[in-house]
Amino acid sequence: MRMKAVSSLVPGELLAQPVFGKSGQILLQKHVELTSSYIRKLENYGHTYVFIEDPRTEDIEVSDALSQELQAEVLIKIERTFKKIQKSFEDPTYTRDIRLGDTFQELFGLLFDHVLKNQVVLTHLTSLYTSDNFLYSHCMNVSLYAGAIAVGNGYSESRVKELGVGAMLHDIGKLAIDKSILDKPGRLTDEERTLVEQHCQIGYDLLIQQPSIHSLSAHCALQHHERMNGKGYPRRLKGMEIHEFGRIMAVADVYDALTSNRVYRKAFLPHEAVEMLYAGSGVDFDPEFIRLFVKHVNVYPPGVPVVLNGIFEGVVVRNNPQNLLRPVVRILRESGRDVEPYDIDLSVCLHMVISNVIQSTVS
Ligand SMILES: [Fe+2]
């Protein structure tokens, strides 16, 4: 099976995995033959890509992916809780009704089983929907990435959970900030930037009052924008003054922000985002946590369509465990024409580079 952009689906193709709606209901069953109206339905429901059957890629398995059902469940619960918190910022008495600790411990618990079982988490598979609100999927993705780094770092289960819960809630302070400023396409004014930067402190103040939230989880909100060189915010902490959780959060948060489409720019490719992390190694980010991120987050999982050197269109077949950024790719098309499929190992063919991903022209 392979992943294909919904925008390039054609009637007659078969779904290789069921597709879920945003409230967790099955929208289309596995093996369903796609029709024009089904494809429209997928677009209307905000799906960006699905898995299809293809005899040329039938040996590609993506069975350890985080299930779409679980993603939908987690996203719905994040959305529901965040909406309540948003109200609480308008009416402070409302906060008392929200048991953030219990809700998010349960939510991260669902994801944690996946992280622990696989040791490596997959990207792409965590963003199957174009969410109406970037914040919900961002919080889920960041908790998966931070969880993978934490497991790789040898943390105990309870410590991974403290970090994971903090990661899910790290941007909660943004709910108090006007969305038109957060999504502003142009440069922020100094005044607007000061306002946005307050989300760390606002989030911390909210979380630290919650009885079942560990204070280290609250520190994920407070410190995720601190940078190794002391040029971060809110407290301009330097190097090891930043708690380990804050240093892990910085890597996970920036990677997800870079690889997501935003109103003001297109997403970067996964390896471009990783290169940007490396560029900030020791300056912005702790090198050890970049190393663990690259080892435990698979940015090119099997089934993902990629383009090599601008002309070779194919699908990731399997990963080289020693270098997840250079997988084996099955080429299906060259310069826009179908070819007899063949595999290229990017860990050996160093002149070949991934130049695009989720390319809608692969058919
Ligand atoms: Fe943030």
Side-chain angles (χ1 to χ4, degrees):
M1 76 174 89
R2 65 187 171 93
M3 200 184 277
K4 196 174 179 194
V6 169
S7 57
S8 65
L9 289 173
V10 286
E13 286 177 326
L14 299 176
L15 278 183
Q17 282 193 356
V19 176
F20 293 87
K22 283 184 180 171
S23 34
Q25 81 283 19
I26 288 190
L27 214 55
L28 293 172
Q29 294 280 3
K30 189 176 173 177
H31 303 312
V32 149
E33 185 176 333
L34 291 169
T35 61
S36 308
S37 75
Y38 284 163
I39 296 169
R40 263 200 312 278
K41 194 170 169 182
L42 289 170
E43 282 169 347
N44 291 342
Y45 272 77
H47 283 271
T48 48
Y49 43 93
V50 293
F51 289 96
I52 60 156
E53 290 181 4
D54 179 344
R56 297 172 299 174
T57 55
E58 65 184 0
D59 55 321
I60 301 177
E61 279 300 326
V62 288
S63 55
D64 61 350
L66 181 63
S67 82
Q68 291 186 51
E69 202 176 1
L70 183 57
Q71 286 181 58
E73 186 183 340
V74 172
L75 281 174
I76 292 160
K77 288 185 179 164
I78 291 178
E79 180 171 357
R80 207 176 287 153
T81 317
F82 278 22
K83 281 189 171 153
K84 282 189 198 168
I85 295 161
Q86 194 139 29
K87 276 191 200 161
S88 80
F89 281 118
E90 292 150 17
D91 173 12
T93 56
Y94 201 83
T95 315
R96 291 188 210 119
D97 302 333
I98 308 168
R99 308 280 307 171
L100 278 181
D102 301 340
T103 307
F104 280 83
Q105 265 150 27
E106 184 206 320
L107 271 185
F108 184 72
L110 296 173
L111 297 181
F112 177 74
D113 290 340
H114 170 81
V115 176
L116 199 63
K117 191 175 115 221
N118 295 288
Q119 295 286 311
V120 168
V121 302
L122 313 180
T123 61
H124 298 292
L125 308 181
T126 57
S127 51
L128 288 167
Y129 304 103
T130 25
S131 177
D132 325 327
N133 192 333
F134 164 73
L135 194 58
Y136 311 141
S137 51
H138 176 63
C139 288
M140 181 173 81
N141 293 348
V142 171
S143 73
L144 276 166
Y145 300 153
I149 295 172
V151 169
N153 201 33
Y155 281 173
S156 67
E157 184 174 330
S158 61
R159 206 159 166 82
V160 177
K161 286 185 172 166
E162 283 158 18
L163 175 63
V165 168
M168 275 192 161
L169 293 162
H170 74 282
D171 264 346
I172 204 162
K174 283 193 174 167
L175 296 171
I177 294 163
D178 196 328
K179 208 166 174 295
S180 65
I181 300 176
L182 294 174
D183 290 342
K184 185 178 167 181
R187 263 181 82 87
L188 296 179
T189 63
D190 289 348
E191 200 180 316
E192 287 166 339
R193 183 170 305 107
T194 308
L195 208 61
V196 170
E197 290 184 358
Q198 285 173 2
H199 78 276
C200 302
Q201 189 69 49
I202 296 172
Y204 174 79
D205 291 345
L206 174 72
L207 296 177
I208 205 73
Q209 290 170 22
Q210 291 278 327
S212 48
I213 296 265
H214 196 281
S215 71
L216 282 180
S217 306
H219 274 81
C220 292
L222 187 63
Q223 294 195 357
H224 68 278
H225 287 289
E226 298 288 358
R227 295 293 179 259
M228 295 294 278
N229 60 3
K231 293 193 175 165
Y233 62 87
R235 291 191 288 161
R236 300 177 79 83
L237 299 176
K238 240 182 180 167
M240 298 302 135
E241 286 170 7
I242 309 167
H243 187 269
E244 237 173 51
F245 278 18
R247 282 178 274 136
I248 293 176
M249 285 299 302
V251 172
D253 180 38
V254 168
Y255 177 82
D256 190 63
L258 289 172
T259 52
S260 302
N261 279 316
R262 304 305 307 275
V263 279
Y264 42 85
R265 61 148 173 79
K266 259 191 76 140
F268 288 97
L269 291 173
H271 65 271
E272 290 172 338
V274 170
E275 279 161 20
M276 288 157 98
L277 291 180
Y278 278 128
S281 181
V283 181
D284 294 316
F285 313 109
D286 186 330
E288 175 59 7
F289 296 131
I290 300 175
R291 188 185 73 79
L292 289 174
F293 177 90
V294 173
K295 198 171 162 203
H296 292 277
V297 178
N298 186 356
V299 298
Y300 290 117
V304 164
V306 290
V307 179
L308 305 181
N309 291 16
I311 50 171
F312 301 91
E313 297 171 35
V315 178
V316 174
V317 181
R318 63 178 182 278
N319 292 106
N320 287 304
Q322 74 282 8
N323 189 351
L324 295 173
L325 297 171
R326 306 285 298 173
V328 176
V329 175
R330 180 157 309 155
I331 303 300
L332 305 176
R333 281 157 76 90
E334 288 178 18
S335 305
R337 289 168 189 270
D338 284 355
V339 293
E340 192 59 34
Y342 62 96
D343 291 356
I344 289 182
D345 185 344
L346 294 185
S347 70
V348 180
C349 298
L350 298 178
H351 62 289
M352 298 294 266
V353 294
I354 296 174
S355 54
N356 210 342
V357 68
I358 319 277
Q359 175 72 325
S360 56
T361 55
V362 176
S363 61

